[in-house]
Amino acid sequence: MASAIDWAALREAASGAASLAYAPYSGYPVGCAALVDDGRIVTGCNVENASYGVTLCAECAMIGQLHLGGGGRLVAFDCVDGAGRTITPCGRCRQLLFEAAAPGLVLNTPAGVRTIAEMLPDAFGPEALG
Ligand code: THU
């Protein structure tokens, strides 16, 4: 439930991840963190590449860490840039979060706390694949 979420801990973890970003091309470090339904916190930072289109968003690293650490479902998510501003995940990463979401996943956004359904309405999901 949203009231039980330690948003300050998520922000600290996301900021720590942003400090480890590899973003020499954009100069825009990003860090994110999420609470998993078993209580652990997973993090990610963006990792860029000289072939710009191959750049990995922070959320990609975080979802990899989710699975490497034993899987689970995301309950709450926070994302921050190198200046400490709250940012929203890009469209592709909303899809990544949707697939890993616990029911009612909430995201901290510049517009306040939003559910994944608000951030990605009418999402394409695995059920469509039959
Ligand atoms: N970026 C993320 O890591 N996550 C997002 O949701 C938005 C964008 C990164 C990708 C790129 O390294 C930099 O921000 C500038 O677009």
Side-chain angles (χ1 to χ4, degrees):
M1 119 179 26
S3 60
I5 293 164
D6 186 348
W7 289 107
L10 282 183
R11 175 51 55 106
E12 189 179 349
S15 296
S19 74
L20 299 172
Y22 177 70
Y25 305 104
S26 71
Y28 190 75
V30 175
C32 65
L35 175 66
V36 184
D37 59 1
D38 64 4
R40 68 192 209 275
I41 289 178
V42 288
T43 59
C45 64
N46 54 336
V47 179
E48 298 185 344
N49 190 283
S51 179
Y52 299 157
V54 187
T55 287
L56 301 175
C57 284
E59 292 86 341
C60 299
M62 188 194 78
I63 294 295
Q65 195 183 86
L66 172 72
H67 289 281
L68 288 165
R73 293 272 159 191
L74 304 179
V75 173
F77 171 85
D78 188 29
C79 194
V80 65
D81 70 14
R85 291 178 293 235
T86 302
I87 62 170
T88 58
C90 77
R92 185 273 303 274
C93 290
R94 293 181 197 199
Q95 184 72 32
L96 290 181
L97 294 170
F98 173 79
E99 181 111 0
L105 166 66
V106 282
L107 294 75
N108 185 34
T109 83
V113 176
R114 297 281 184 268
T115 65
I116 188 65
E118 290 173 302
M119 299 302 289
L120 190 67
D122 302 324
F124 178 85
E127 75 289 342
L129 301 178

